[in-house]
Amino acid sequence: ISAVLSDPEISALMPAMYKIRAAYELDKEVVAAEQLLKEEGASQALASILDHQSYWILTEPVLKALSGATRVAVIGSGPLPLTALAVAEKTSCSVTCYERDQHAFDLGNKIIELSSAQDRIETRCETALAGPQMASFDVILCAVLLGVSVDDENHHEKSAVLHGFAHAIGPKGKVILRDPYRLGVLFYPSANVEGSAQLQ
């Protein structure tokens, strides 16, 4: 694996691969969200999806990090905001979703309206910046494709974005990152978290 990842030709392709993967995942979630919204009994269908998906969203380390938290930010919540919904429905936390894509944001809001926890979810159609507003959150949950841009060339290095959140959050706050491993790094960027004790 290390030989593949250290190959200069592979390394040169990886930014484009990340962008393709991000576009694929966005399209896949858009289709899934649109289909769900057309279903009769969409609220029950969403509840069923969350019951089946919560096992990988709310893993033991994530639940441990969420213990005692009251305010959670989900960065890159997407058109099918399952992470935000799982946190809001399965814990007592209030959740703020950040999603910069307008169409994904609009679909995500419609999905959230189907949830019994919608009153504890706030949505913001903007790029989440590592500014003072992040200090109000106990936990920041970051998507695995953090920093990858689908529709332009403004790629941000994932580690830099992540460390920005780690420094912006309060002293007792936690940043949770979904990061790839092994050959998964060919499709999702990985982050260097060394030197930051706040990163989970």
Side-chain angles (χ1 to χ4, degrees), residues 136-148:
S136 67
F137 294 106
D138 303 305
V139 176
I140 298 175
L141 270 163
C142 299
V144 71
L145 282 160
L146 177 71
V148 178

Side-chain angles (χ1 to χ4, degrees), residues 127-168:
T127 298
L129 299 176
Q133 74 275 15
M134 289 296 154
S136 67
F137 294 106
D138 303 305
V139 176
I140 298 175
L141 270 163
C142 299
V144 71
L145 282 160
L146 177 71
V148 178
S149 178
V150 173
D151 53 4
D152 58 40
E153 296 304 319
N154 291 325
H155 296 285
H156 300 286
E157 205 276 319
K158 186 175 183 178
S159 297
V161 177
L162 184 64
H163 281 277
F165 286 136
H167 290 293

